[in-house]
Amino acid sequence: MNKTQTIFWISQQPVDYGKDDSGYYQDHPTPIFTNTFQLDQAKNCTLHIAACGFWTCQINGKPVTDAVLNGPWTNYQKVVYYQTFDISSLVHEGENTVRIELGNGYYNPSPLRFFGKYNLRKNLSEVGMPEIAMVIQSGEQTILQTDERWTYTEGNTLFNNLYLGERVDLRPKPSKRYPVVVKTRNTPLKAQTMPPIKKGKEVKPVQIETRNEELLVDFGEMISGMIDINFEAKEGQIVKLRFAEGLNPDGTPNYFSNANGSVGEVMPDGHKIDGGSGAPDVAVEMDEIICKDGNNHFTNQFTYHSFRYCIIEGLKKEQLQQIKAIYVHTDVEAGGSVATNDPKLNHLYDAAVRTKRNNFHSTFEDCARERLGYGGDMVSLADSNLYLFQLKETYEKIVLDFVNDQTEAGGYPETAPYIGIQSHGTAPKEGPLLWQMAVPYLSYKLIQYYDDKEFVRKIYPSIQKFVDYILSRPIEEVSRCCLGDHGSVLIMGQFYKPTPDKPLVGYCTILWLVQIWIKLGCLLDKDMAHYEVVEKKLKEQTLRQFKQNETFGDGTQTGLAFAAMVELDDQQALVEQLVKQIEADNGVFTAGIFGMKFTYELLHKYGYDELVEHWLRQEGSVSYLSMLKSGNRAMAELFAGTNYSYNHAMFTSFIQWYFEGLGGVKIGPDAIGFNQVVLHPYFSDSLSHCGMKLETMHGPIESVWDRKDGKIVWHVTMPKAIQYTIQDSNASYQLILDLYD
């Protein structure tokens, strides 16, 4: 969009939801804006479009993009993203028609209280009626833009909420026209460079059965996506589609694993989570269809669901003509892949990748209950994500979201944008320590993987402000602002029970922050001498506080993993203690999402890969394979507990080990733009083949090894521009190394 041009935003007439916003849940049809424009010649035509909320746009009845859920969520007071499309193939000489429909997205959220506490309408920086800005140009000439000359009609979508679903009336309706509301915004516009959200694979049901006058549709796998259904019905017939990730032991749908904010769930103390005035009793993901006579077709426009099961009320099986589920996720380019000859390891890999994609919609979310960008999850999954996907533009956008919500003191939020959650945060609107690590850690990774120094230099002052803010406070005080190693099986899913070695984790996190900050500064040629002195003092202080004879803290896997990662003592000795503790725990990895990531890295570095493989292959009640016994083909939030998400990626960091251990290629710790790797393979005795491919800035790296007649041949192909070192833990193989320009 031309920066010198005045951009006008249009929206529908404001809606009064009442004093307590309870009217939000009533029917409020989507606005459909239309206008026409004339063209003398149908070439070199460009559309620029931005929205607060979701949008769809058609030119002469044809969509301008095959993307869905357009309009990435952000702090709308700080930035709004726009997209540009070449529409030359959609226009013609003479009169052309534009049609834009708006959905609420995150800009007009419900007043429903997450976990009975957090109301997006109260806590987001800005909410309002969805609004759109659009400019069509032919060459340099503006042909059409949003202004007071537009009008709108009411669409067939009566209600839409990203979490709760959509209510539509498919019956024909009169098209009364209304004048638009016009305004300008001071918010900067920024071109959207991260990939859009698109539809993916279509999935047909594996079973449809009638239960208690409802249809239970089983798609046989866990999907984050949209539903597409055709059926015969009578005019006015109401069909409801409810979505569940799993079934209860009695075969009834379990709606609480994906119910928005767990609203309606009865907690162990007996209280029921209340969503607030007007909210549904249980915040089930549900679509409702008011039918026309004859054939009806419905598919989602402004929401997606997390589900394996679709429960259909108000429709008989003989009326159903077709139903399918469609995966929907950010259309990110693949970065790498790993495949072995072992079905179990391949099954785990496939489930982890599916779960990551399932929870990737303009940001890496946690799960359907929340759909929020948690900084802690970003940190624990950063490397596993970076090996799998091309994420430069995505991580830039995510980092900016955190920077845009930085407090005046210097802290970062727990989720970006900030929605009210600040568990054990350092101050109001600030998250716990490990969640605030997202900005410095992802910035470090942007340089390590993509040489993205230009971007990081721009936000460097923000990170320095954060680091200095944390270091300005007594370590005894700030270390307690720590949620700890979230997800550990040692607390069996009890969120409010202290996580393992929490005091030690708090101290180690501050030390780790300084270490990452020093690495980041060195990569940007900054003088970090002052912070190196700080690091030394912090290490001495942590040692005095937590060293207990030959171990640290309580001696848990979490504590030892953190102590080893920040090198509180001799790292190899600490890893050997970690190994002993894992063996004492019968090979079960008991760390949470951070300690688990560190454990995979440390065990591989020191040649204990068989422990990792043994853990991945376990089939007991606490295991990855146990998560997959239901057939969902997706990872769950926890290894134990009740009503947790069955579609949650926070424990998928083991993918990192697939690349670094089985594939034998680890990005170098001092890499800039993936210019260094360590070649260090683990040739599992249970495998005869492993193939890995990894995209880098310099070209792909391929690593393939095969075992035949007791001999291993390892073939690595990589660009000459990448420096390599070989960490040889097993010399009984033949290495064929091909370097190319």
Side-chain angles (χ1 to χ4, degrees), residues 27 114 175 267 314 557 688 718:
D27 289 351
F114 280 72
S175 54
M267 303 307 288
Q557 291 185 34
S688 59
M718 60 188 295

Side-chain angles (χ1 to χ4, degrees), residues 51-71:
C52 296
F54 289 150
W55 61 265
T56 65
C57 180
Q58 295 177 343
I59 306 289
N60 296 322
K62 298 177 182 177
V64 301
T65 177
D66 60 353
V68 296
L69 305 176
N70 295 295

Side-chain angles (χ1 to χ4, degrees), residues 105-123:
Y106 288 97
Y107 189 66
N108 191 29
S110 76
L112 185 140
R113 298 197 299 251
F114 280 72
F115 311 115
K117 294 187 279 187
Y118 309 109
N119 182 342
L120 270 67
R121 294 192 72 82
K122 301 289 186 184
N123 293 322

Side-chain angles (χ1 to χ4, degrees), residues 704-725:
V704 180
W705 61 264
D706 291 280
R707 186 194 310 273
K708 189 175 181 180
D709 300 328
K711 297 180 180 179
I712 299 171
V713 177
W714 183 29
H715 191 173
V716 178
T717 305
M718 60 188 295
K720 288 181 180 178
I722 299 178
Q723 302 172 19
Y724 66 90
T725 57

Side-chain angles (χ1 to χ4, degrees), residues 552-604:
F552 287 87
D554 298 329
T556 63
Q557 291 185 34
T558 283
L560 291 167
F562 269 81
M565 181 55 61
V566 298
E567 298 186 70
L568 275 184
D569 213 335
D570 179 78
Q571 190 178 65
Q572 184 166 358
L574 285 168
V575 172
E576 288 171 358
Q577 290 185 51
L578 175 61
V579 168
K580 290 179 182 177
Q581 187 59 50
I582 291 172
E583 291 172 343
D585 292 329
N586 298 315
V588 174
F589 285 20
T590 64
I593 60 174
F594 304 101
M596 197 78 80
K597 167 186 163 59
F598 296 159
T599 298
Y600 296 135
E601 293 181 23
L602 293 163
L603 294 182
H604 173 61

